[in-house]
Amino acid sequence: MMNWRSLAAAMFGAVLSLSVGQPARAEGGAGPEAMSMGNMCMVMFGYDMIHITVFQPDKSRSEYCSEIPATGRTIMVFDIETPAFRDLPLELRIIRDPLTPITKDTDLEPLTELHLPAKKYTKGTFSLEHNFANNGHYIGLVTLTRENGQQETEQFKFMVGETLWAWVPQIAGTVLIAGMVFVYWKHTHPSSKKKEKEPAEPVAS
């Protein structure tokens, strides 16, 4: 016989994993291109990293990463952790996510929300301020130019405002809970058809 308590525990665990998620996760596909840990994002060039922290000072004192809660004035702070990167030009471009793969042939200009030309940040940190006018998904492209002129571009993805995807974990959790309740109800309430098939007790003469 199926252990209904085990089934309920398994379904509750699935709901919990959807709503909580992992503390560290890759953003934008496989590989170490960009990761988030807590409220701080990291763009990775191999094992070297650039930290990104996001603020919306007009709305709260909280720090954000891949989920910026609302449109409006937003400040992004970039901390260059690798000393050697501070002597190399860095270019930053933020584009609206086309939701299709980006290749070297993709025309970025129509998608560009903000562009900072290549520059050396010898102090190891820089920030930008931008007023996001629209909810949606965005991609930050960080391009590093090596000493030999070779360019490397890594990306980090983030969301501004609430979109449909923000509600996916909650919707999935609600569906799982509803399914669990339905299965439990079916198990504890035999159908009326089965009751009708039960033989009637003989009437005493």
Side-chain angles (χ1 to χ4, degrees):
M1 180 179 293
M2 183 179 295
N3 189 329
W4 295 100
R5 290 184 178 180
S6 298
L7 175 62
M11 297 184 75
F12 178 77
V15 173
L16 188 63
S17 65
L18 282 169
S19 60
V20 176
Q22 298 295 328
R25 62 187 184 276
E27 298 289 344
E33 297 87 358
M35 300 186 68
S36 64
M37 184 175 292
N39 287 329
M40 181 174 284
C41 294
M42 295 173 283
V43 178
M44 305 296 296
F45 290 85
Y47 293 101
D48 298 313
M49 66 183 68
I50 298 175
H51 282 165
I52 309 168
T53 310
V54 183
F55 304 90
Q56 288 194 315
D58 297 336
K59 295 180 172 61
S60 75
R61 302 176 68 177
S62 301
E63 299 178 2
Y64 304 106
C65 178
S66 58
E67 296 179 1
I68 302 173
T71 57
R73 187 167 74 102
T74 303
I75 297 174
M76 293 184 172
V77 180
F78 295 78
D79 293 312
I80 305 172
E81 298 294 325
T82 305
F85 285 4
R86 301 173 187 179
D87 294 322
L88 301 176
L90 281 175
E91 177 186 358
L92 175 66
R93 184 186 297 268
I94 295 178
I95 65 173
R96 294 176 293 278
D97 192 343
L99 302 179
T100 57
I102 297 175
T103 68
K104 62 181 181 180
D105 298 323
T106 301
D107 184 7
L108 299 178
E109 285 302 325
L111 302 172
T112 297
E113 182 81 11
L114 174 70
H115 180 222
L116 296 182
K119 179 181 177 180
K120 294 181 181 180
Y121 298 95
T122 56
K123 293 183 179 180
T125 185
F126 68 98
S127 63
L128 64 88
E129 181 176 317
H130 182 68
N131 183 22
F132 286 97
N134 300 304
N135 292 346
H137 295 261
Y138 295 83
I139 302 175
L141 302 172
V142 182
T143 300
L144 174 73
T145 303
R146 300 283 185 177
E147 295 92 337
N148 60 3
Q150 180 182 356
Q151 291 187 332
E152 299 177 24
T153 299
E154 303 295 351
Q155 62 178 256
F156 62 96
K157 293 188 176 184
F158 61 96
M159 180 180 65
V160 175
E162 292 186 351
T163 66
L164 176 63
W165 289 107
W167 293 96
V168 167
Q170 289 85 347
I171 294 172
T174 301
V175 171
L176 281 174
I177 291 174
M180 181 171 62
V181 171
F182 176 75
V183 170
Y184 177 78
W185 185 87
K186 289 287 288 184
H187 177 66
T188 55
H189 294 74
S191 65
S192 58
K193 291 183 179 180
K194 289 184 178 180
K195 290 183 178 180
E196 292 175 0
K197 291 181 180 180
E198 292 179 356
E201 293 183 1
V203 180
S205 57

